[in-house]
Each structure stands twice: as structure tokens, then as C-alpha cells.
Amino acid sequence: MPIVWIVLNNSGNAMVANLQHLLFDQVSSSLYRRPLDAAAVARGLGARAAVVSTLDDFASVLD
């Protein structure tokens, strides 16, 4: 079954950071110190992966 996962990488777990700020008025270590290479993680698990930064690149990768 062909499945396509699209990961929007914001270099951190902003949802957790926002919740920590809302509930505790502080943010712990939920933001990454270095960008997470989600494509490398996917490749390490045996999936095909690509990193895109423009809509044109996105369209060509999906093809």
C-alpha cells in the first residue's frame, strides 16, 4: 500500500513548548538545540525521503 507521510519540521516541538508556557509560564527542553533531520530518520528506517523548501520542489518530489 503506497503511503505518503509529510513532515512539517519546525526544528522543535512547538506544541509542547506552547503548552508548557501556557500551563507553567516556562518552557523546558522541548525545543531542539540542533535541527532534527527527519529525512535521515526516515531513511534510517528504510523509507524513501526528500527535503524540500519550495512548492516547485514539493510537486516534483511527489511525482
Side-chain angles (χ1 to χ4, degrees):
M1 180 183 323
I3 298 173
V4 175
W5 289 92
I6 299 172
V7 176
L8 304 176
N9 186 356
N10 68 352
S11 296
N13 198 342
M15 180 187 69
V16 173
N18 288 333
L19 190 58
Q20 288 174 342
H21 180 66
L22 178 68
L23 295 176
F24 307 112
D25 198 29
Q26 63 183 359
V27 175
S28 66
S29 61
S30 62
L31 300 177
Y32 304 129
R33 301 204 190 295
R34 287 182 253 155
L36 174 67
D37 190 346
V41 173
R43 286 187 205 101
L45 295 170
R48 290 185 298 162
V51 177
V52 297
S53 56
T54 69
L55 286 177
D56 291 336
D57 291 344
F58 184 73
S60 67
V61 166
L62 284 180
D63 286 340

